[in-house]
Amino acid sequence: MSLVRLNGWGAFQQSWAGLSRQPLLLAFSLCALGTHLLGWALFAAAEQVDSGVLAALLHLSGIGLYGGSLIWMIEGFTLAGLAIARGQRIHWHELSPAECRHSGRLCLYLLLLAAALAGVALITGVVWSLALLLLPSLSAVPALIGLLAAAAVVISQLFGPCLVLDTRLKGVALFRQGVWLLEHHGPGLLLLCSGLTSMLIIPVLIGLLAEGLVSGLGPLVTALALVVVLPLLTTTVTGAYVQLRPELQHNPANLHANFKQSDR
């Protein structure tokens, strides 16, 4: 089977059209991002109270809201994006926290991803220390290689949440699938990640502009811009994943993925 060409711009256009047809996703983005920021605010507020018990409660509440809302956002945006890419309508009950049926697998996947990045950082730190002692003039090389390795891990796992929700792959198999995608679609993934990074910078620039015009307005404007940008960003990723899905489904090396949608 010939390789499918990854079209990041086409995925973005599909995402924009889908979001305009289903503004419910903006309401979900507002609720999920608001809950996420509330968790951060509760955790930060714990540093301002004198009571140790209250501080502990605020810390626990903040961590719970922060982590829970993160999983909720990832699963909700991914489900909505997969639906939009297939031309399906989404409903609020499908995005509610009660419908987060993949939370456990997503948590395990994120822990594995964090462990992989921590491993890269550890190896880089050891090699950098040795280079600093033995070859000080080349001490920057291990750090650069480590950054490139970390970037490769992140890029290869760009479709990780999609694979978690759309297949029955677990653990190392998810990473293998990501590595396979990076090997066969590296240039397309790099272009897609460049576009996503540019999209993510937009709220920061808007917030800086607002802060320059009115002092103190920057954080609020940045958060409001994120409400719009996050759905566009995540549904662009899912749209790109759906482009590659037929290839993943029919490639002999990936038939064990057992795609859920193929059984419906």
Side-chain angles (χ1 to χ4, degrees):
M1 180 179 179
S2 60
L3 290 177
V4 178
R5 181 177 177 272
L6 180 59
N7 185 353
W9 176 245
F12 171 76
Q13 290 178 310
Q14 185 182 43
S15 171
W16 180 267
L19 188 62
S20 63
R21 291 194 304 268
Q22 304 191 59
L24 174 65
L25 194 54
L26 290 176
F28 168 75
S29 180
L30 179 62
C31 293
L33 183 60
T35 305
H36 193 66
L37 294 177
L38 177 60
W40 178 86
L42 287 176
F43 189 88
E47 305 298 328
Q48 309 298 323
V49 299
D50 298 326
S51 171
V53 175
L54 181 57
L57 288 174
L58 287 174
H59 275 135
L60 289 174
S61 300
I63 292 173
L65 276 179
Y66 190 89
S69 61
L70 178 63
I71 298 299
W72 181 32
M73 276 198 294
I74 292 174
E75 181 164 350
F77 280 134
T78 303
L79 286 174
L82 290 173
I84 287 174
R86 296 180 179 118
Q88 302 168 351
R89 293 202 63 83
I90 53 175
H91 304 88
W92 177 256
H93 70 86
E94 296 174 300
L95 302 177
S96 68
E99 291 297 314
C100 290
R101 301 173 182 175
H102 305 274
S103 301
R105 294 180 64 222
L106 276 173
C107 286
L108 289 175
Y109 169 74
L110 292 177
L111 287 174
L112 284 172
L113 179 58
L117 291 174
V120 170
L122 179 61
I123 294 172
T124 301
V126 171
V127 176
W128 177 79
S129 300
L130 291 174
L132 195 62
L133 289 173
L134 303 176
L135 298 168
S137 60
L138 299 177
S139 60
V141 174
L144 179 60
I145 294 175
L147 287 174
L148 291 175
V153 170
V154 173
I155 293 172
S156 71
Q157 299 307 306
L158 184 64
F159 299 131
C162 298
L163 289 168
V164 170
L165 269 65
D166 196 43
T167 75
R168 294 181 175 86
L169 290 175
K170 297 179 182 178
V172 179
L174 284 167
F175 280 81
R176 282 203 304 266
Q177 197 81 309
V179 171
W180 186 90
L181 285 168
L182 184 61
E183 289 175 352
H184 292 81
H185 297 280
L189 285 173
L190 285 173
L191 285 174
L192 177 61
C193 287
S194 299
L196 296 175
T197 303
S198 301
M199 290 172 61
L200 202 55
I201 292 174
I202 291 175
V204 178
L205 296 178
I206 294 175
L208 289 174
L209 178 61
E211 185 68 24
L213 295 174
V214 180
S215 179
L217 190 61
L220 176 61
V221 172
T222 301
L224 291 176
L226 277 173
V227 169
V228 178
V229 169
L230 280 179
L232 282 174
L233 189 147
T234 52
T235 53
T236 297
V237 171
T238 51
Y241 166 78
V242 170
Q243 291 178 10
L244 300 179
R245 190 176 183 276
E247 182 182 329
L248 292 171
Q249 204 169 2
H250 293 95
N251 192 296
N254 301 312
L255 289 178
H256 68 284
N258 196 4
F259 286 77
K260 295 177 183 178
Q261 294 293 335
S262 63
D263 300 331
R264 292 182 182 178

